[in-house]
Structures are given as C-alpha cells and as structure tokens.
Amino acid sequence: MSKLNIGVIGAGSISELHMGSYAKNANAAMHAVCDLNEQRAKQLADKYGFANVYTSIDDLLADDKLQAVSICTWNNTHADLAVKALEAGKHVLVEKPLSTSVEEALRVQEAVRRTGKTLQVGYVRRYGSNTQMIKQFIDNGDLGDIYYAKASCLRRLGNPGGWFADKSRSGGGPLIDLGVHMIDICWYLMGRPKVKSVSGNTYNKLGNRANIKNLSFYKAADYDASKNTVEDLANAIIRFENGASLMVDVSFTLHAKQNEISAKLYGTKGGCELEPELVIVTEKYDTILNVTPQVDSLALNVTEAFQNEINHFVDCCLTGKTPISPVEDGVEMMRMLCGVYESAEQGKEIYFS
C-alpha cells in the first residue's frame, strides 16, 4: 500500500496532536505544513519531519503530490478551507466545529458530494477506546433504548483568550469550543437521532476574569487579556425526533468550586458514565450493579484518541471507507449549536423542520 501524502494547515497548538499522530502512522508521509507564520511552520516541519513548508494556502493546494490535509485553523476559516481543499482534489480532516453556521456546513457537504473526496470531522472523543467499547454494549442492546443523556464541561477559570475569545474568529465561546465535544459524544452514542428542538441560554456575566491571580489556566498563543466577545456559560436541552433528550452545560468561567467534566447516558436496561471515568450501570437478578470495566484507563486518553482518529482518517482515504464522523454529522451538529445560540438570543425554543 502506498503512503498517503499529508499536509497540515495551521501550526497552532492543536496541530501538534495531528502531526505527532501522523508521524506514528506507517501509511502517512509527512509532506507539507502551511502557516502564515513561516518560522513557526519551519520549526514544526523540522520537529515532525515534513518535507515542505508553505505560507500560502493556494500554493499548498496546488502541490500535485499532496493528497490529504488536516485543517487546524481558526473556526471561521474551516468551511472555506475545506471547500477549497476538496475542490483541489484533496481529502480533508477538519477540526471541530465544521463551520460557524449551518449555511457554511451545507456548503461543505455539497462540496463533498460534488468532489467525491473523503471529509472527516474532528470529533476526537468518538475515537477514544472507551467510547468504542461502550458503543459495542449499546449497539448490542445491553443498555436498552438510550432515552436521556447529560453532559457538562465546566471550567471555573479557563477562557483561553486570543482567537478563542474573539467571536468573529471562533464563532462563539465554550459552547462551540467545549460543548461541541460534549454534545457530540452523547449524540453519537445515542445513535445520532435527528434533532427536533433546542432550548438554550447563554450568559456573559464574568468576562475573561483576567484580574484573577494565583490560579493558572491555558492561554492561547495570541492571548490578549483585554478582549473578550464570547459567552461565559451556555446551557441547553436538546430534544430529538425519537423522543430522547440531552441536557448540556459548558463554561469558560464560572464561580464554581472546581472544574467539572461528565458525560452520562441512561437507557431502559442500563446506563453508563463515560466521563470523568468509565462505569456501566446494569441490573441482574433484580439487583442494580455498578460495573467497572478492566481497561488501561478509565478516563479519556487524549493522545490515544487522536492517534485512533488519524489512523482512521488515513485508512478511509486509502480504502474509500466512510469515516465514523462524516460531513453529515458536522451539519447536524451545527444545527444544534446554532440552535442554542438562536434560542438564547430569541428567548424561546427553536424547532427544526
């Protein structure tokens, strides 16, 4: 099997998780990295063994030897870059979210159908080994019908600043950055039912809390404490056509005692918690049991999940398989995310036809 020539667009922090995973894939060839910051691109090219460095997207996509790209740029560029890459004949792995609007997501979907190239959306939690294991339980009916899920990703202090805090580039705050992961992992395990309605709230009460001392948090490469145009907190209830429902809340900053992450699903025969640690709840002989699987890690192994995601993308590109996170799921996710923002703005539940 010939190797897949890979290019990575964007040399920010998330790109290194892609690059490191490609470097460990025997079927991937480190062909090119592209970033407006040539020095940063060259540093990563040297570190991970890329053969070429570009500062122009057009020059990168004109490279006939390039076969596939990872898009690791600002959210507001994802859709345009994906369409350009697809039209240039490249396969695409695009970081979440697929876009910042439903209209953009539909344009990407149309480009996938028109070009016939592979597009995989970077819903990395789907590729965690625990996720795939629990999906086997669900798919085989061990938990019955999943009718309710609940997810949280609450940071007491964690607005990364930079482009994350700039709505014009990010498309939003914790909902589109963190909520996309939490909603997706529950929705995926629920069987990806069609969304029926969304009722959501967003709050911008605390800002980025740049005044806080003695407590460190992740800062974006272009961190600027003076600017923040995104929400602090978002919450929502999402109803699906099959009658199931999902509750979610996410924050960049909140007066909470500690950070919190959780993803829980409940079915007619049992339930499970995927975050913060894996556990299965079931019944046997009229007794409720908490079952702890014997696995390498009960928590999400992010590095492993990215490796699985990259391996899957390379395999899909080389074999023509359909990714487990296809463009259609990116479109449906944008309906949900944009529905939450629209509901919060209008102060009412949003229904989908």
Side-chain angles (χ1 to χ4, degrees):
M1 181 184 291
S2 60
K3 290 189 176 184
L4 185 72
N5 286 335
I6 295 292
V8 176
I9 303 174
S13 57
I14 196 69
S15 70
E16 292 206 59
L17 286 166
H18 288 243
M19 294 174 183
S21 299
Y22 283 124
K24 294 177 183 177
N25 185 296
N27 295 317
M30 311 298 278
H31 186 70
V33 59
C34 181
D35 194 272
L36 295 174
N37 185 327
E38 186 174 14
Q39 181 181 3
R40 183 166 63 176
K42 285 182 176 179
Q43 287 174 344
L44 292 182
D46 291 341
K47 181 177 180 179
Y48 293 101
F50 285 96
N52 303 281
V53 171
Y54 292 98
T55 57
S56 163
I57 295 295
D58 291 335
D59 289 345
L60 172 78
L61 296 179
D63 186 334
D64 292 335
K65 294 182 179 179
L66 182 68
Q67 296 170 288
V69 297
S70 272
I71 297 175
C72 304
T73 54
W74 299 337
N75 294 348
N76 67 323
T77 67
H78 287 181
D80 285 342
L81 289 175
V83 171
K84 287 188 73 169
L86 291 165
E87 291 178 341
K90 318 302 182 186
H91 301 296
V92 174
L93 170 54
V94 57
E95 261 299 333
K96 57 78 190 169
L98 176 60
S99 62
T100 56
S101 72
V102 176
E103 292 75 21
E104 287 180 336
L106 289 170
R107 189 160 58 87
V108 177
Q109 179 177 260
E110 193 278 328
V112 172
R113 293 175 177 174
R114 186 176 68 253
T115 63
K117 308 306 290 187
T118 295
L119 184 136
Q120 180 175 313
V121 186
Y123 297 140
V124 68
R125 273 177 161 76
R126 293 191 184 195
Y127 297 90
S129 57
N130 289 346
T131 303
Q132 290 304 311
M133 184 193 68
I134 206 68
K135 190 174 187 300
Q136 286 185 296
F137 282 78
I138 293 172
D139 289 348
N140 284 286
D142 293 312
L143 303 187
D145 295 326
I146 307 298
Y147 59 89
Y148 178 51
K150 186 177 181 181
S152 294
C153 187
L154 300 175
R155 293 180 185 168
R156 53 180 173 166
L157 185 71
N159 184 327
W163 71 268
F164 289 96
D166 179 1
K167 188 175 181 180
S168 67
R169 289 182 285 172
S170 64
L175 177 65
I176 206 165
D177 182 44
L178 308 174
V180 61
H181 281 306
M182 306 315 297
I183 294 171
D184 179 72
I185 195 58
C186 291
W187 179 62
Y188 173 65
L189 291 173
M190 294 171 85
R192 299 155 59 233
K194 281 290 185 182
V195 61
K196 178 181 179 181
S197 68
V198 171
S199 182
N201 302 282
T202 59
Y203 298 93
N204 194 335
K205 301 288 188 179
L206 304 178
N208 60 13
R209 298 172 79 192
N211 60 297
I212 298 296
K213 300 176 182 179
N214 307 313
L215 187 63
S216 60
F217 62 95
Y218 166 70
K219 296 180 180 180
D222 59 342
Y223 180 78
D224 181 355
S226 68
K227 186 170 185 178
N228 180 66
T229 57
V230 300
E231 77 275 7
D232 306 329
L233 167 76
N235 60 41
I237 181 165
I238 303 171
R239 294 182 172 88
F240 301 103
E241 289 183 357
N242 66 352
S245 59
L246 164 64
M247 290 186 67
V248 61
D249 57 357
V250 290
S251 70
F252 273 168
T253 184
L254 190 68
H255 281 127
K257 179 182 178 181
Q258 60 190 18
N259 295 338
E260 177 184 337
I261 186 166
S262 65
K264 306 174 183 180
L265 295 99
Y266 305 95
T268 54
K269 293 182 179 179
C272 69
E273 296 186 10
L274 200 60
E275 300 272 5
E277 290 191 340
L278 180 64
V279 66
I280 298 170
V281 181
T282 186
E283 291 183 27
K284 197 171 183 67
Y285 309 126
D286 301 323
T287 300
I288 297 174
L289 304 175
N290 292 344
V291 180
T292 303
Q294 300 299 299
V295 295
D296 286 335
S297 175
L298 291 172
L300 174 68
N301 183 325
V302 175
T303 302
E304 178 195 60
F306 266 99
Q307 188 67 62
N308 292 343
E309 178 185 49
I310 294 300
N311 291 347
H312 183 71
F313 176 61
V314 171
D315 184 54
C316 287
C317 293
L318 292 173
T319 65
K321 295 178 184 177
T322 300
I324 66 170
S325 51
V327 66
E328 291 80 7
D329 288 9
V331 173
E332 193 71 3
M333 177 57 61
M334 289 315 301
R335 287 195 176 102
M336 287 185 263
L337 296 176
C338 292
V340 175
Y341 283 127
E342 184 179 352
S343 173
E345 184 178 349
Q346 297 186 15
K348 65 179 183 181
E349 189 165 12
I350 301 299
Y351 288 85
F352 298 85
S353 57

